[in-house]
Every structure is written in structure tokens, then in C-alpha cells.
Amino acid sequence: MSRQQLPVVVIGAGPVGLAAAAHLAARGIELRVLETGPAAASAVREWSHVRLFSTWGELTDPAAEKLLAPTGWTAPDATRHPTGGAWAEQYLQPLADALGDRIRYNTRVTGVSRTGRDRTVDADRETQPFVLHLTTADGREERMLARAVIDASGTWTTPNPAGADGLPARGETAAADHLTHRVPDLRDPAVRARYAGRRTAVIGTGASAFTALATLADIAEAEPGTHAVWVLRRGLGGATFGGGEADQLPARGALGLAAKAAVDNGYAEAVTGFRTGAIERDTDGRLVLVGEDGRRLDPVDEVIVLTGFRPDHSLLSEIRLRLDERLQAPVELAPLIDPNQHSCGTVPPHGHRELSHPEPGVYLVGMKSYGRAPSFLAMTGYEQVRSVAAAIAGDTESADRVELTLPETGVCGGAGLFDDPAGAQADGGGCCAPAPALVPLGAGVPAAVVAEDASTGGRCDS
């Protein structure tokens, strides 16, 4: 089989990975999607309880809609805001079903290389197909050849630590039984019992942190003794709680106002300028956060760490990537998404050229392409893979053409209030990810994703 007859392999069946598959299929390109989980959008399902700021109209891809049309799929109301669970069940899984056996589940990619060439070998490198090393759920090892590789695996599995220096704080690993790096589903009785009547530290300054503060405040109204300690690395300022009533995204503004109310009403206290250096055990087993400046906070029972996500490039260790030294994003893309300069609404549309690497035929897309920058949009990811699919097909004119106009508001999706009619519209659906929602998400805010400070951001779709 010639190299051109080999499939293009997409790693990850999340929102952007499935969109990539839809665009490849529309061009008649043989493809395979490899998904670690047992179903599509596995990361998104882990924050299924979180509502997106983005509407349905901003969360579906045009090529995907065309693929779904013959199946009888009906697009949800474009003006409504789904939860992660609704996004997965009403759009992402049907899209995966339409792709059929081109998707393999329960298959983990452990490495990617050139056949017979490690990253040091130049000879005939670009003529060799890619080889992906796979591990199946039952432990079997396999190999798969590919003409190109699109890595849409996201960042959901690699959250940032509580430690302010980017490494786990001293004692953080030992305290893992009382830490979570996700927005907890406090509607679940078992999860609620973990926080009700207890003192919880929330580390982070983005929409995911707002969500945690607002829901802990709801519990505090019914469960005396419930209290949150909001740990911020920066000080409180006019923009700390977002745009409030002036926010052009009402759901996002309502969430910031709810977090502010939690502080104003005494259900949460803010500790500013605190950079966590250690997490110690008190004599009664509770946790004590110790700042790098020596400050010690009063003991807490639980810690919710919502400090964003980072990419894991280990599976591409034999591939020649060119990444920005700060953001770990492709070097041509990095200045366009630098969180010191841009929010999600000011990131320009971009495609295959910004996503290319010295290794031709390899592309990082979706949340993974943004590295440590948190300002990812689903619409931007869909434009990425449209351009990449065109480039792989040899349609350079289409690949270079911008086919995306972002909303003037700079829509940034992410964690919303759980089924609160004041914060989001109910739609009967079920994150950071973590995308225009910011994938969380993922999915990938949580796949969930939100525009937040790069050092403390969360994500709700990817």
C-alpha cells in the first residue's frame, strides 16, 4: 500500500477531533479516529453537569452537520446553552455514530513516530509513513500506519497543580485524597456530602472557580458550617468577577455576580496574593495551605484546585515539534494566543500554516494546540481542522482561506451555573478543559473552556 493510500489518523474523539473526522470524510479521505474512552467525548462527559456559556449555534461544526443530516438528526435550538452532557449526547455521540467504524474506542495511543526512524534520523524521513503505537483495553499492543496525524487529544488529563511554581506544592501529592482538579457535581448526594458542613479551599480565578464558589454558597444556605476559602494569586480588582451586568454574555456575567454574592454574603472569604507553596496536615488530619511567603491559612477539609491545564507531548516524543518555550503551543500560533495580549475574542482565525511543525503531516489542534493558553473557542477549533483537512487533501487555496468570523463580543464559553434559570437556560441536558466555548472543556473546560488568567484558568470544552 502506498503512503497516500494510508489513512489520516485523528487522536481523540472529542469535539474538535470529531470535527476533523467530518471534514476529512467530506473530502473522501480515508481516516481513523482513536479514542481512549469507551464512547465519544469521554472528557466532556466528565463535566456533564456544567453548563456552557456558548449557545448550540456556536458549538456545532458545518461539516459535521452535513454528515449528520442524512441520519435524521435535528439541530438543537441554536440560541440555547447546553450542558456538557447535552453536548455529548445530543451532538457529539450522534456525530461519532455517523462516522461508524472509522472510530476505534478503548484504544490508547502511546507513541507516534516515522516507520524505522527515531527523531534523530534524517535519511528518507519524510518518505516514511507515520507509525502509531497503540494499547487496547485488554492490554494488547498494536501498530497502525498513517499518512498524517492530527492530535486532538486535548489537555483534560493533565491539570495544573496547586503549587504556584507550576510544580506540585510540597505535600500536594500526599493530600490527593482531599483534592480535586475538577468542578465537583454538587447535585450528586455523595459528592455533596463531601463538602456540606465543611470548609473548602477553592484555588483559581476563572469561571470554573466562580462555579465552585456559587454552588458551595448554595449548599451553605441549607447546610450550616459550609464555607469556602477563595485563594487568589492576585489581588481583588474591578475585573475579578468578570463583566457582571455589563457582560455581553448574560450567563457568564451572572456567574461572576453569583461568585461575588458568595463573598459579599459571607459564604466565602477571599485570600489574595497567596501563592501556594505547601499543603500540610494539621493534627486533626485537615489540610493547611502554606504560602510561599510563609502565611498559613486556617485548616480546611477539602481543596478544589482549578488552575487550568497543560498539554502532554510525551506520545509525540519521537516527532519533531516546534513549540513556543512558554506556552508549549506551535511557535507560529503562540503570539496569536498569548494570554498576556489576547482574550478568546481577539485571537484571529488560523489554520494549517500556524499549526505546522518541522515534521510535515503532524498537526496539534483544539485545546492541545493552545498549550497552556486558556482562551480557546470551539469555533476556532472547527476552523483549524477545516484548514488542516484541506491542506492534507492538497487544496491549498481553501486551506489558506479564512472561513470564520468570530462574534464581536468575543464569545468565551465555559462553566456556567448548574440549571439556574438566572444563569443559563434549561434545556433538559445532563466542563475545562477544558470551545465558542472554551473545552474544558472537554472538553476540552473542563472540555469543557474559558478565557482566564493562564496561571489560574480552567477549561470546559476541548
Short mmCIF file of all heavy atoms in Angstrom, two decimals, residues 2 25 61 68 112 137 143 151 157 168 186 249 282 289 304 319 324 336 364-365 370 374 390 401 443 461:
data_model
loop_
_atom_site.label_atom_id
_atom_site.label_comp_id
_atom_site.label_asym_id
_atom_site.label_seq_id
_atom_site.Cartn_x
_atom_site.Cartn_y
_atom_site.Cartn_z
N SER A 2 0.59 2.17 -0.91
CA SER A 2 1.38 3.39 -0.96
C SER A 2 1.02 4.27 0.24
O SER A 2 -0.04 4.12 0.85
CB SER A 2 1.10 4.16 -2.25
OG SER A 2 -0.21 4.71 -2.23
N ALA A 25 -13.79 13.22 6.05
CA ALA A 25 -14.77 12.38 5.37
C ALA A 25 -15.43 13.13 4.22
O ALA A 25 -15.69 12.56 3.15
CB ALA A 25 -15.83 11.92 6.38
N ASP A 61 -20.28 22.03 14.17
CA ASP A 61 -19.42 22.29 13.02
C ASP A 61 -20.21 22.07 11.73
O ASP A 61 -20.97 21.10 11.62
CB ASP A 61 -18.22 21.34 13.06
CG ASP A 61 -17.37 21.43 11.82
OD1 ASP A 61 -16.58 22.38 11.72
OD2 ASP A 61 -17.51 20.56 10.93
N LEU A 68 -24.38 14.62 9.55
CA LEU A 68 -25.49 14.17 10.39
C LEU A 68 -26.84 14.25 9.69
O LEU A 68 -27.77 13.51 10.04
CB LEU A 68 -25.53 15.02 11.67
CG LEU A 68 -24.52 14.67 12.75
CD1 LEU A 68 -24.44 15.80 13.77
CD2 LEU A 68 -24.90 13.36 13.43
N VAL A 112 3.99 8.05 18.74
CA VAL A 112 3.91 8.29 17.30
C VAL A 112 5.33 8.51 16.79
O VAL A 112 6.12 9.22 17.42
CB VAL A 112 3.05 9.52 16.97
CG1 VAL A 112 2.96 9.71 15.45
CG2 VAL A 112 1.66 9.41 17.57
N ALA A 137 -7.80 -1.98 25.42
CA ALA A 137 -8.30 -2.11 26.79
C ALA A 137 -7.87 -3.40 27.45
O ALA A 137 -7.72 -3.46 28.67
CB ALA A 137 -9.83 -2.00 26.79
N ARG A 143 0.16 -1.80 16.15
CA ARG A 143 0.77 -0.73 15.39
C ARG A 143 -0.19 -0.33 14.28
O ARG A 143 -0.89 -1.17 13.71
CB ARG A 143 2.11 -1.18 14.77
CG ARG A 143 3.15 -1.66 15.78
CD ARG A 143 3.69 -0.51 16.61
NE ARG A 143 4.74 -0.95 17.50
CZ ARG A 143 4.55 -1.35 18.75
NH1 ARG A 143 3.31 -1.40 19.24
NH2 ARG A 143 5.56 -1.72 19.51
N ASP A 151 -3.48 15.42 16.10
CA ASP A 151 -3.58 15.17 17.54
C ASP A 151 -4.59 16.14 18.15
O ASP A 151 -4.32 17.32 18.34
CB ASP A 151 -2.21 15.34 18.20
CG ASP A 151 -2.22 14.97 19.69
OD1 ASP A 151 -3.32 14.73 20.24
OD2 ASP A 151 -1.14 14.92 20.30
N THR A 157 -6.59 15.56 30.85
CA THR A 157 -5.98 14.61 31.79
C THR A 157 -4.75 15.17 32.49
O THR A 157 -4.16 14.49 33.33
CB THR A 157 -5.59 13.30 31.07
OG1 THR A 157 -4.65 13.59 30.04
CG2 THR A 157 -6.82 12.64 30.46
N PRO A 168 3.85 20.48 41.67
CA PRO A 168 3.02 20.22 42.85
C PRO A 168 3.63 20.84 44.10
O PRO A 168 4.84 20.78 44.32
CB PRO A 168 3.00 18.69 42.93
CG PRO A 168 3.24 18.24 41.53
CD PRO A 168 4.20 19.23 40.95
N LEU A 186 -22.08 18.98 42.64
CA LEU A 186 -22.63 19.04 43.99
C LEU A 186 -24.10 18.68 44.05
O LEU A 186 -24.71 18.70 45.12
CB LEU A 186 -22.39 20.43 44.57
CG LEU A 186 -20.91 20.82 44.70
CD1 LEU A 186 -20.75 22.22 45.24
CD2 LEU A 186 -20.18 19.82 45.59
N LEU A 249 -22.34 38.48 27.53
CA LEU A 249 -22.81 37.11 27.69
C LEU A 249 -23.49 37.03 29.05
O LEU A 249 -22.83 36.90 30.08
CB LEU A 249 -21.63 36.12 27.63
CG LEU A 249 -21.00 35.93 26.26
CD1 LEU A 249 -19.74 35.10 26.39
CD2 LEU A 249 -21.97 35.28 25.31
N ASP A 282 -2.86 19.05 59.37
CA ASP A 282 -2.99 19.53 60.73
C ASP A 282 -3.06 18.33 61.67
O ASP A 282 -3.14 17.18 61.24
CB ASP A 282 -4.25 20.40 60.85
CG ASP A 282 -4.20 21.31 62.07
OD1 ASP A 282 -3.11 21.47 62.63
OD2 ASP A 282 -5.25 21.84 62.44
N LEU A 289 -3.01 25.17 54.00
CA LEU A 289 -2.28 25.73 52.87
C LEU A 289 -1.23 26.71 53.39
O LEU A 289 -1.55 27.59 54.19
CB LEU A 289 -3.23 26.45 51.92
CG LEU A 289 -4.37 25.63 51.30
CD1 LEU A 289 -5.12 26.47 50.27
CD2 LEU A 289 -3.87 24.35 50.69
N ILE A 304 -10.32 22.41 46.25
CA ILE A 304 -10.68 22.32 44.84
C ILE A 304 -9.68 23.16 44.07
O ILE A 304 -9.63 24.38 44.22
CB ILE A 304 -12.12 22.84 44.60
CG1 ILE A 304 -13.12 22.04 45.45
CG2 ILE A 304 -12.47 22.74 43.12
CD1 ILE A 304 -14.55 22.58 45.36
N ILE A 319 8.60 12.70 17.48
CA ILE A 319 8.20 13.59 16.38
C ILE A 319 8.88 14.94 16.56
O ILE A 319 9.02 15.44 17.67
CB ILE A 319 6.67 13.75 16.36
CG1 ILE A 319 6.01 12.42 16.01
CG2 ILE A 319 6.24 14.83 15.39
CD1 ILE A 319 6.34 11.91 14.62
N ASP A 324 6.51 26.82 21.27
CA ASP A 324 6.88 28.02 22.00
C ASP A 324 7.37 27.63 23.39
O ASP A 324 6.77 26.79 24.06
CB ASP A 324 5.67 28.95 22.11
CG ASP A 324 5.98 30.21 22.88
OD1 ASP A 324 6.64 31.09 22.33
OD2 ASP A 324 5.54 30.29 24.05
N LEU A 336 -0.26 34.64 18.65
CA LEU A 336 -1.65 34.96 18.36
C LEU A 336 -2.58 34.65 19.53
O LEU A 336 -3.70 35.17 19.59
CB LEU A 336 -2.13 34.18 17.12
CG LEU A 336 -1.31 34.31 15.85
CD1 LEU A 336 -1.93 33.48 14.73
CD2 LEU A 336 -1.17 35.76 15.43
N LEU A 364 -1.16 19.58 15.72
CA LEU A 364 -1.83 19.65 17.01
C LEU A 364 -3.01 20.60 16.83
O LEU A 364 -2.83 21.72 16.36
CB LEU A 364 -0.91 20.19 18.10
CG LEU A 364 0.45 19.52 18.28
CD1 LEU A 364 1.19 20.14 19.46
CD2 LEU A 364 0.30 18.03 18.47
N VAL A 365 -4.21 20.17 17.22
CA VAL A 365 -5.40 21.00 17.04
C VAL A 365 -6.20 21.04 18.33
O VAL A 365 -5.96 20.28 19.26
CB VAL A 365 -6.28 20.47 15.88
CG1 VAL A 365 -5.52 20.48 14.56
CG2 VAL A 365 -6.79 19.07 16.20
N TYR A 370 -3.27 24.94 21.84
CA TYR A 370 -3.11 26.17 22.62
C TYR A 370 -2.12 26.02 23.77
O TYR A 370 -1.82 26.99 24.46
CB TYR A 370 -4.47 26.61 23.17
CG TYR A 370 -5.23 27.53 22.25
CD1 TYR A 370 -5.31 27.27 20.88
CD2 TYR A 370 -5.87 28.65 22.74
CE1 TYR A 370 -6.02 28.11 20.04
CE2 TYR A 370 -6.58 29.50 21.91
CZ TYR A 370 -6.65 29.22 20.56
OH TYR A 370 -7.35 30.06 19.73
N PRO A 374 -5.35 29.56 27.86
CA PRO A 374 -6.69 29.06 28.16
C PRO A 374 -7.80 29.62 27.29
O PRO A 374 -8.95 29.27 27.48
CB PRO A 374 -6.89 29.54 29.61
CG PRO A 374 -6.17 30.85 29.64
CD PRO A 374 -4.97 30.67 28.74
N ALA A 390 -8.18 20.49 4.50
CA ALA A 390 -7.96 20.99 3.15
C ALA A 390 -6.49 20.87 2.76
O ALA A 390 -6.16 20.49 1.62
CB ALA A 390 -8.42 22.44 3.04
N ARG A 401 -7.57 29.97 3.13
CA ARG A 401 -8.68 30.91 3.19
C ARG A 401 -9.31 30.92 4.57
O ARG A 401 -9.55 29.88 5.17
CB ARG A 401 -9.73 30.54 2.14
CG ARG A 401 -10.83 31.58 1.97
CD ARG A 401 -11.67 31.28 0.74
NE ARG A 401 -12.30 29.96 0.79
CZ ARG A 401 -12.04 28.98 -0.06
NH1 ARG A 401 -11.15 29.14 -1.02
NH2 ARG A 401 -12.65 27.81 0.04
N ALA A 443 -14.45 19.69 26.84
CA ALA A 443 -13.63 19.08 26.73
C ALA A 443 -13.39 19.02 26.66
O ALA A 443 -13.27 19.54 27.34
CB ALA A 443 -13.88 19.17 26.93
N ASP A 461 -14.38 22.85 27.61
CA ASP A 461 -14.59 22.00 26.47
C ASP A 461 -13.35 22.02 25.62
O ASP A 461 -12.59 22.96 25.62
CB ASP A 461 -15.83 22.38 25.68
CG ASP A 461 -15.86 23.81 25.22
OD1 ASP A 461 -15.14 24.14 24.27
OD2 ASP A 461 -16.61 24.59 25.81
#
